[in-house]
Amino acid sequence: MKLLRIALPLLAAFLSAPSLAYSNNSGFGIGLAYDLGTGVTAQFRETSFFVNSDALAVDFRLQNLSNDRRTLHAYIDGGLFYEDGGRDSYNDKAGVRLPVGLSFGIAPSVQAYIQAVPNFAFSDNDNKEGFGVDGALGVRLRF
């Protein structure tokens, strides 16, 4: 509880500070996401990363569309993923994915996104192999 009393005001002050994304446009963002479980997401220019203790995904921007005011972006990415199956290596899976999503600003330096993630997984376990569609959502602080 004590941590919340300190963290929430600091977060509010940080988010209300002038946006660094507009002043130097480094193209870098980092945040939290639910993709292949809950984990950390980062983006550098046209490449997105997701990592947690059991999974890793890397996606490259294939197409980017935006509205006239550039407040909403639709995109298509192509990428690869790996999920650790735990103790038994036959539960591990790796594959290709094609995230299709929307991203939008919720504050000057904060970006949120939601995406559908069609994928094809390769695995030694027949039950884990094949086509599937997952979802993902996240929030990134842009620098």
Side-chain angles (χ1 to χ4, degrees):
M1 190 64 150
K2 197 175 203 177
L3 180 63
L4 284 177
R5 285 188 223 160
I6 296 169
L8 289 177
L10 285 175
L11 181 62
F14 188 68
L15 292 178
S16 64
S19 172
L20 296 173
Y22 290 45
S23 61
N24 62 9
N25 196 15
S26 71
F28 179 74
I30 190 164
L32 297 174
Y34 182 83
D35 192 334
L36 299 165
T38 303
V40 175
T41 180
Q43 184 176 29
F44 183 69
R45 297 191 180 140
E46 303 296 316
T47 306
S48 298
F49 304 93
F50 172 82
V51 65
N52 67 18
S53 62
D54 299 325
L56 171 69
V58 179
D59 299 318
F60 305 97
R61 187 65 34 102
L62 301 176
Q63 184 67 41
N64 196 19
L65 308 163
S66 61
N67 64 354
D68 292 338
R69 295 186 345 205
R70 301 190 55 80
T71 56
L72 179 69
H73 300 275
Y75 59 88
I76 301 172
D77 289 350
L80 306 167
F81 73 94
Y82 172 77
E83 285 186 274
D84 184 8
R87 289 185 165 168
D88 301 320
S89 64
Y90 68 87
N91 281 331
D92 294 355
K93 68 179 180 177
V96 294
R97 54 194 249 147
L98 190 70
V100 177
L102 295 172
S103 66
F104 48 92
I106 56 176
S109 60
V110 179
Q111 174 193 46
Y113 69 90
I114 185 167
Q115 60 190 18
V117 188
N119 61 73
F120 189 86
F122 305 98
S123 173
D124 291 336
N125 184 344
D126 291 336
N127 296 329
K128 298 271 185 183
E129 187 174 293
F131 179 77
V133 178
D134 295 324
L137 56 99
V139 176
R140 290 186 193 114
L141 182 60
R142 306 294 298 179
F143 297 97

